[in-house]
Amino acid sequence: MDFSIRAANVDDCKDIARMIMELAEYEKVSDHVKVTQKGASCSSSDSRLSPGTSDADLEQDGFSKNPFFHGIIAEVPEQHKTKEGHTKIGYALYFYAYSSWSGRAIYMEDLYVMPEFRGKGVGKALMSKVAQLGLAAGCHQLNFAVLDWNKPSMDFYLSQGCFDITDTMGYHCLRCEGEALKHLAQL
Amino acid sequence: MTSGGHCWTTNDIIPLLFQELAKYEEMEHQVTLTEKELLEDGFGDTPFYHCIITEIQGQNSSEDPKVVGFAMYYFTYDPWVGKQLYLEEFYVMDEYRGLGIGSGILRHLSNLAMKTRCTGMMFVVAENNEPSVQFYKRRGAEDLSQEEGWRLFRFDKDSLVKMAAPSEE
């Protein structure tokens, strides 16, 4: 199947927002997430957030002078578009990070390919592009997170040569947000 | 006791602190980052990280202040909730613990997170590091790995190079 991988631009935000929502459905949290071109917001039924949490503004946060993330898009030619007319069928979001032990790192926040386009090398190509970009920027590692029940994805990643540092090193992700963050700021 | 809001000076302390922390996490042999890289990556045109340090004044006013703690952080992004402040490294020298320095650093960083419109502060802790896990949980941190099932994965340099190579179709 013919497809191309390219850097995302501000005009892609609508499709990125759509696919973020689709990824949220895959991750089984779609009833907690509302995504718009202007970004995502979570409903207050999400126990992780308090009402009034600010929206993630994709356009401002990703495509202004100082972006907080970068994107790449997988696109198919017109003749392969979905029945809804979409030619943008996959994406990855990444940003640069840092390891105090080994230096520059690249973090892949999202990786998604629409279901009907899976198994054709699109995911691999997106990840390969992230790897290339990371190496070009002098990074020594690519980090990302996977849900523990997501066996297809875990198998795919492990087959590409990565390792599970939650398993091998016992690393857990912790987050302080909402009221807890406000409280910490006042201590 | 003053908290240095301004960052790192090119002395030997920071690399030593990293070595000490790596010993605490029992991984000292894995620290390959050099002082030169730290300088370039934190103070070049595009910083990859930011640092805050805590200094204390010596007994004599003529003495240079001593660096006794530091934190290294950078900004990350969660497409659902926006900017996050990611705490990469956070350390207070042994003999200066229990004095509120750690809490002071966290307070400074939380304030900074809120000022810069971050909706959360994130960090990674080794599950066997009980003191640190409790330190953060006492302050309201949630363990996303435990509660939501997130596992961290990594590709090291060799695997990255293999993945970046064009595939044979």
Side-chain angles (χ1 to χ4, degrees):
Chain A
M1 184 189 75
D2 201 12
F3 64 88
S4 60
I5 305 287
R6 60 165 178 78
N9 58 57
V10 68
D11 299 324
D12 295 317
C13 282
K14 189 154 178 263
D15 285 277
I16 294 174
R18 167 182 61 83
M19 289 191 279
I20 285 174
M21 192 62 195
E22 292 174 19
L23 177 56
E25 278 165 22
Y26 179 88
E27 289 175 348
K28 301 177 185 174
V29 290
S30 61
D31 50 329
H32 297 308
V33 182
K34 287 191 284 281
V35 177
T36 66
Q37 182 169 345
K38 279 295 190 182
S41 66
C42 289
S43 70
S44 56
S45 59
D46 188 312
S47 59
R48 290 192 286 128
L49 300 165
S50 49
T53 302
S54 61
D55 292 353
D57 186 325
L58 291 179
E59 285 181 8
Q60 175 164 22
D61 296 340
F63 301 95
S64 61
K65 190 163 166 266
N66 296 307
F68 288 92
F69 69 88
H70 308 278
I72 51 175
I73 299 281
E75 233 174 340
V76 293
E78 273 295 310
Q79 62 263 37
H80 292 305
K81 68 182 181 214
T82 68
K83 62 179 194 286
E84 292 90 3
H86 302 305
T87 54
K88 296 170 202 178
I89 52 90
Y91 78 103
L93 292 187
Y94 65 93
F95 46 79
Y96 293 100
Y98 206 74
S99 157
S100 53
W101 293 0
S102 51
R104 298 180 185 191
I106 187 165
Y107 189 88
M108 185 169 68
E109 171 65 28
D110 279 2
L111 174 67
Y112 175 76
V113 178
M114 291 174 73
E116 68 229 68
F117 297 95
R118 290 179 198 160
K120 300 176 201 299
V122 181
K124 232 188 240 187
L126 282 165
M127 243 179 20
S128 175
K129 189 67 185 171
V130 175
Q132 284 169 34
L133 291 163
L135 287 169
C139 299
H140 305 282
Q141 56 187 227
L142 162 60
N143 298 313
F144 55 102
V146 193
L147 286 163
D148 57 11
W149 53 258
N150 190 353
K151 200 161 184 312
S153 293
M154 286 211 286
D155 288 345
F156 167 64
Y157 295 130
L158 292 167
S159 76
Q160 300 300 296
C162 66
F163 53 103
D164 179 341
I165 53 177
T166 294
D167 191 38
T168 56
M169 286 151 89
Y171 282 171
H172 283 219
C173 293
L174 270 62
R175 168 141 67 193
C176 216
E177 61 187 350
E179 288 308 310
L181 183 63
K182 282 196 195 118
H183 185 71
L184 254 187
Q186 284 159 22
L187 263 178
Chain B
M1 226 182 287
T2 59
S3 189
H6 169 66
C7 214
W8 181 47
T9 52
T10 53
N11 55 36
D12 292 335
I13 287 289
I14 296 283
L16 284 179
L17 284 175
F18 285 153
Q19 290 285 3
E20 282 203 58
L21 180 55
K23 261 193 234 144
Y24 186 35
E25 291 194 358
E26 288 149 25
M27 301 280 175
E28 62 201 297
H29 55 280
Q30 293 201 22
V31 180
T32 56
L33 186 59
T34 63
E35 202 175 323
K36 178 171 182 280
E37 284 169 311
L38 266 176
L39 181 58
E40 243 169 61
D41 297 342
F43 300 91
D45 291 329
T46 343
F48 277 76
Y49 71 87
H50 308 281
C51 232
I52 56 168
I53 57 168
T54 299
E55 303 174 306
I56 61 165
Q57 195 55 52
Q59 301 284 55
N60 306 323
S61 54
S62 57
E63 269 178 55
D64 280 337
K66 182 179 177 171
V67 175
V68 298
F70 80 103
M72 176 194 259
Y73 67 94
Y74 49 88
F75 295 98
T76 63
Y77 199 77
D78 180 331
W80 296 354
V81 295
K83 281 168 64 179
Q84 305 287 298
L85 189 149
Y86 184 87
L87 181 54
E88 165 65 20
E89 202 73 279
F90 171 30
Y91 184 71
V92 177
M93 288 172 74
D94 237 333
E95 53 267 53
Y96 294 97
R97 293 197 192 152
L99 301 168
I101 295 175
S103 296
I105 290 176
L106 271 193
R107 180 177 60 241
H108 183 102
L109 290 173
S110 323
N111 262 302
L112 179 64
M114 298 190 62
K115 274 197 203 109
T116 53
R117 293 182 303 108
C118 293
T119 59
M121 199 159 70
M122 296 196 59
F123 29 81
V124 163
V125 190
E127 69 191 344
N128 61 13
N129 185 349
E130 265 308 302
S132 292
V133 172
Q134 289 314 313
F135 177 85
Y136 293 123
K137 282 192 168 171
R138 268 203 304 275
R139 288 158 174 80
E142 286 173 56
D143 185 338
L144 301 179
S145 292
Q146 199 165 64
E147 291 176 34
E148 299 182 11
W150 290 103
R151 306 186 79 89
L152 290 167
F153 277 55
R154 170 172 299 161
F155 283 99
D156 63 18
K157 192 74 177 281
D158 293 337
S159 311
L160 259 189
V161 170
K162 281 200 195 106
M163 229 184 358
S167 56
E168 273 95 288
E169 289 299 332

